[in-house]
């Protein structure tokens, strides 16, 4: 009888060859599998969704489809498609960045969307999100009755350049001045402006509010400035802490920059020019700080009274 250590090779197999591998990389096969896993992972990690997606499902769909280079608006045909090993590793890495590092999806993919408009993004610039995007889609109607009549407009605190680009589309005859204090943000804005072929219509200016902007009359100035209060800054979810603090915080009541904009805007507005400023949930704080002003508060599909509109005569 043969000794155990002299058994033929085919009679003894490495015990590990018969062990089933475990874990998501081995067990999750289809797009459907990975979406379920991602949603559970995000929910258990306590991820916060405030950068363009309403919940874990929407964000999981976007991240999985983007990672697999699939159309972002066509999930159903791919739900039961099997995913090869190397692509599973890529999806797993993306989910871990989101759940463990709490990176917003836009910083993982390097892009953000406002409607059908795509913008390049990285952590040097705030992630595009604004009620203005919805209003500009309609040409800022009815507050601007004829978009073609706007010949000069400004985007104050332009960040990635997203609203300046939307303004260029909304106001087809307008020259746009896009202002930001951050050279890093303006570098990204320049790439986005170039991607849309708008270099001849959008001028980028590095300036602390209006300080370095050449004085000229604008028909329309909009601004989505920093407006987060100090208390809110202290309690920000982890996702927001990846964004530049300079683009978020604006003093105790969130109105430090708004005060400067209201004080200086009359010098930059045409006689019938209008200023629109987003202040988010700070309407009560604004009205307490400026009790004599009576701006018009605007409504957008995703939020009411987050933007105020005021004209030059009212400011004077």
């Amino acid at each position: 009888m043969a000794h155990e250590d002299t058994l033929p090779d085919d009679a003894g197999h490495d015990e590990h060859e018969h062990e089933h591998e475990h874990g998501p990389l081995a067990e999750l096969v289809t797009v459907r599998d990975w979406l379920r896993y991602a949603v559970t992972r995000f929910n258990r990690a306590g991820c916060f969704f405030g950068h363009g997606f309403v919940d874990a499902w929407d964000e999981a769909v976007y991240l999985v489809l983007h990672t697999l280079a699939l159309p972002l608006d066509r999930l159903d045909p791919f739900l039961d498609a099997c995913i090869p090993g190397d692509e599973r590793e890529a999806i797993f890495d993306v989910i871990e960045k989101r759940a463990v590092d709490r990176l917003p999806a836009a910083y993982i993919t390097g892009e953000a969307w406002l409607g059908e408009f795509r913008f390049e993004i990285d952590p040097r610039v705030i992630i595009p999100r604004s009620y203005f995007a919805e209003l500009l889609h309609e040409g800022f109607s009815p507050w601007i009755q004829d978009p073609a009549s706007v010949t000069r407009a400004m985007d104050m605190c332009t960040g990635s350049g997203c609203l300046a680009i939307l303004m260029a589309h909304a106001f087809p005859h307008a020259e746009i001045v896009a202002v930001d204090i951050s050279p890093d943000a303006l570098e990204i804005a320049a790439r986005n402006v170039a991607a849309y072929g708008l270099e001849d219509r959008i001028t980028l200016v590095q300036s602390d509010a209006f300080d370095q902007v050449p004085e000229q009359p604008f028909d329309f100035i909009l601004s989505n400035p920093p407006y987060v209060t100090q208390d809110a800054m202290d309690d920000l979810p982890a996702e927001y802490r990846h964004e530049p603090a300079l683009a978020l915080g604006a003093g105790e009541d969130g109105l430090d920059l708004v005060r400067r904009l209201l004080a200086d805007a009359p010098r930059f507005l045409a006689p019938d020019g209008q200023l629109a400023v987003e202040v988010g949930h700070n309407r009560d704080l604004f009205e307490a700080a400026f009790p004599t002003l009576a701006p018009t508060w605007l409504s957008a599909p995703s939020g009411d009274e987050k933007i105020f509109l005021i004209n030059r005569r009212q400011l004077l």
Side-chain angles (χ1 to χ4, degrees):
M1 184 174 182
H3 193 272
E4 184 178 18
D5 61 8
T6 62
L7 287 173
D9 289 343
D10 59 356
H13 297 282
D14 188 333
E15 61 182 1
H16 296 295
E17 293 180 8
H18 296 286
E19 291 181 356
H20 292 289
E21 294 185 38
H22 296 285
L25 291 175
E27 297 173 354
L28 304 180
V29 177
T30 66
V31 170
R32 190 189 303 272
D33 293 339
W34 279 99
L35 288 174
R36 199 287 307 162
Y37 175 78
V39 171
T40 299
R41 193 81 176 88
F42 297 162
N43 285 335
R44 286 178 176 167
C47 291
F48 188 88
F49 306 99
H51 292 99
F53 298 97
V54 298
D55 55 26
W57 168 255
D58 283 351
E59 196 146 310
V61 169
Y62 166 67
L63 286 172
V64 170
L65 291 178
H66 182 278
T67 304
L68 295 176
L70 294 173
L72 298 181
D73 59 349
R74 296 189 65 194
L75 172 63
D76 288 350
F78 306 105
L79 275 171
D80 296 310
C82 293
I83 304 172
D86 58 338
E87 290 186 320
R88 295 185 206 177
E89 291 179 4
I91 295 173
F92 181 78
D93 288 344
V94 163
I95 292 172
E96 290 300 287
K97 287 178 182 178
R98 185 66 187 90
V100 177
D101 300 335
R102 300 289 292 276
L103 272 176
Y107 288 155
I108 296 173
T109 63
E111 67 175 23
W113 293 79
L114 290 177
E116 68 271 26
F117 289 85
R118 177 192 179 277
F119 303 101
E120 180 182 339
I121 290 298
D122 71 32
R124 295 175 297 163
V125 68
I126 192 172
I127 296 169
R129 54 189 183 276
S130 176
Y131 301 102
F132 276 120
E134 299 165 339
L135 299 177
L136 289 171
H137 181 70
E138 304 297 331
F140 221 76
S141 175
W143 303 283
I144 293 179
Q145 295 183 354
D146 181 12
S149 69
V150 178
T151 60
R152 188 173 294 275
M154 179 190 295
D155 175 17
M156 173 60 70
C157 306
T158 193
S160 62
C162 57
L163 293 182
I165 291 167
L166 295 187
M167 291 172 78
H169 285 82
F171 310 131
H173 302 306
E175 295 182 2
I176 314 293
V177 174
V179 181
D180 206 280
I181 192 174
S182 167
D184 285 336
L186 291 173
E187 180 183 326
I188 297 169
R191 294 206 290 268
N192 285 319
V193 168
Y196 283 94
L198 292 169
E199 300 98 322
D200 60 336
R201 292 186 56 204
I202 298 178
T203 301
L204 301 174
V205 177
Q206 184 180 351
S207 176
D208 184 358
F210 290 106
D211 288 355
Q212 288 78 44
V213 179
E215 198 165 315
Q216 54 197 296
F218 289 89
D219 300 311
F220 182 57
I221 299 174
L222 69 71
S223 181
N224 181 15
Y227 57 73
V228 181
T229 66
Q230 188 56 56
D231 286 345
M233 286 293 291
D234 294 339
D235 294 330
L236 282 178
E239 283 80 357
Y240 290 92
R241 298 186 183 277
H242 291 282
E243 294 185 289
L246 182 67
L248 296 172
E252 286 297 321
D253 63 357
L255 298 174
D256 282 3
L257 187 53
V258 173
R259 289 182 173 87
R260 295 178 60 191
L261 299 183
L262 293 176
D264 291 340
R267 295 189 293 113
F268 292 86
L269 285 170
D272 294 323
Q274 300 186 91
L275 169 70
V277 182
E278 182 172 327
V279 294
H281 300 285
N282 293 348
R283 176 174 177 171
D284 290 345
L285 294 172
F286 177 89
E287 292 179 335
F290 304 99
T292 62
L293 289 182
T296 300
W297 290 91
L298 310 186
S299 295
S302 63
D304 295 333
E305 300 181 345
K306 303 296 191 295
I307 293 171
F308 70 81
L309 180 70
I310 194 164
N311 61 43
R312 185 176 185 272
R313 291 185 299 276
Q314 291 173 286
L315 290 172
L316 289 175

